[in-house]
Amino acid sequence: MNNLNFLSALLHLSDPTLPIGGYTHSNGLETYVQKRIVCNRETAKEFVENMLQYNLKYNDGSFMKLAYEAAENNDIELLLKLDNECNALKCAKEIRNASQKLGVRLIKIFKRKENSSLVESYEKAVQNQEATSHYCIVFGMYASLMKIPLYEALLGFYYTSASGMITNAVKLVPLGQIDGQDILFALYPTIEKTALETIALDRDSIGICSTSFDINCMQHERLYSRLYMS
């Protein structure tokens, strides 16, 4: 793949405005805001930074990397195992359902461009309820099929995750648009560092839970008022 195609594929796959419904999910942030734990620019940055370093790195980011490697080897059995492991580790129902919905919608978009026997087998397994189509698994699969280098794919994955959380924080706290952009600028080193650490992460460390995050996501289901689905 030449540089233009590689950049186009990366930008397209990691575009925060992809029409997959990501804007409807706060991933628990709404609970943190209502509790006044996240209440200003500083605490919003801390939330996103902690999510990248202590949650996504050990969970969705690592599963994205493993799915990427499984797709490289055309290993559908491993992809299905990873999908089921990822599903089991998502304790909060809303987060689990959101991840599945985003994954299904991502397939609908990119199979038009990068369909393959691997995608067909994976989609059939989802239809037969042998897999649940988690977003990070689908992202990793397509990043591999589109020949995006792993490190750059991880940068894109963490960037779109951070961008989505920041957009939600701007709306919920609320913050100014410039505040949100400044937070994103400040997180560049964290995104790069987290991507590198994900590549080197020991397999036994994958799946480490973030108890506070899980609890707040579960509590979101029972908030008195909600703007987001999760």
Side-chain angles (χ1 to χ4, degrees):
M1 177 179 287
N2 63 43
N3 287 338
L4 180 59
N5 286 340
F6 149 60
L7 288 173
S8 297
L10 176 60
L11 290 170
H12 196 171
L13 184 61
S14 59
D15 184 355
T17 65
L18 273 177
I20 59 176
Y23 67 93
T24 64
H25 303 283
S26 80
N27 292 301
L29 175 60
E30 191 165 18
T31 307
Y32 284 88
V33 172
Q34 290 202 19
K35 289 182 175 181
R36 303 301 295 165
I37 297 171
V38 176
C39 57
N40 53 33
R41 172 171 156 171
E42 290 70 29
T43 51
K45 176 181 178 293
E46 183 180 8
F47 174 85
V48 179
E49 193 164 37
N50 287 344
M51 280 287 290
L52 291 171
Q53 294 185 104
Y54 305 121
N55 187 355
L56 292 181
K57 181 176 76 175
Y58 294 103
N59 290 281
D60 285 17
S62 287
F63 279 109
M64 193 285 274
K65 174 211 170 215
L66 294 175
Y68 180 103
E69 294 171 341
E72 270 193 319
N73 295 317
N74 200 37
D75 192 337
I76 183 62
E77 291 186 7
L78 180 54
L79 270 175
L80 300 184
K81 287 179 180 178
L82 291 171
D83 188 282
N84 284 305
E85 183 181 354
C86 180
N87 190 62
L89 288 168
K90 291 187 180 297
C91 300
K93 180 182 178 181
E94 288 185 349
I95 297 300
R96 187 169 61 250
N97 290 344
S99 178
Q100 294 165 356
K101 290 176 182 177
L102 296 179
V104 168
R105 291 165 186 162
L106 197 64
I107 289 176
K108 287 181 179 179
I109 292 174
F110 281 94
K111 74 177 184 180
R112 300 168 185 275
K113 176 67 173 65
E114 292 292 337
N115 207 7
S116 69
S117 59
L118 183 69
V119 173
E120 291 174 359
S121 297
Y122 181 77
E123 195 171 20
K124 183 176 180 180
V126 173
Q127 292 167 354
N128 292 336
Q129 298 185 340
E130 298 169 3
T132 49
S133 190
H134 282 288
Y135 171 74
C136 55
I137 303 296
V138 177
F139 190 107
M141 177 175 64
Y142 273 114
S144 176
L145 291 173
M146 297 164 76
K147 307 300 182 186
I148 301 170
L150 177 58
Y151 174 65
E152 283 75 9
L154 282 165
L155 287 178
F157 183 81
Y158 287 130
Y159 171 83
T160 195
S161 300
S163 178
M165 287 185 278
I166 291 168
T167 298
N168 291 336
V170 167
K171 295 176 182 177
L172 286 168
V173 173
L175 302 174
Q177 295 289 345
I178 296 299
D179 289 328
Q181 292 304 305
D182 286 344
I183 293 172
L184 191 56
F185 277 127
L187 287 174
Y188 282 0
T190 299
I191 291 171
E192 294 171 0
K193 177 173 176 285
T194 305
L196 288 171
E197 290 174 347
T198 302
I199 292 173
L201 194 66
D202 184 84
R203 181 63 173 90
D204 291 338
S205 297
I206 296 174
I208 291 177
C209 70
S210 178
T211 306
S212 175
F213 172 72
D214 287 341
I215 291 173
N216 279 281
C217 287
M218 292 174 187
Q219 290 174 341
H220 184 268
E221 300 174 20
R222 294 172 175 81
L223 291 183
Y224 178 74
S225 62
R226 304 192 307 180
L227 294 177
Y228 292 88
M229 294 175 63
S230 68

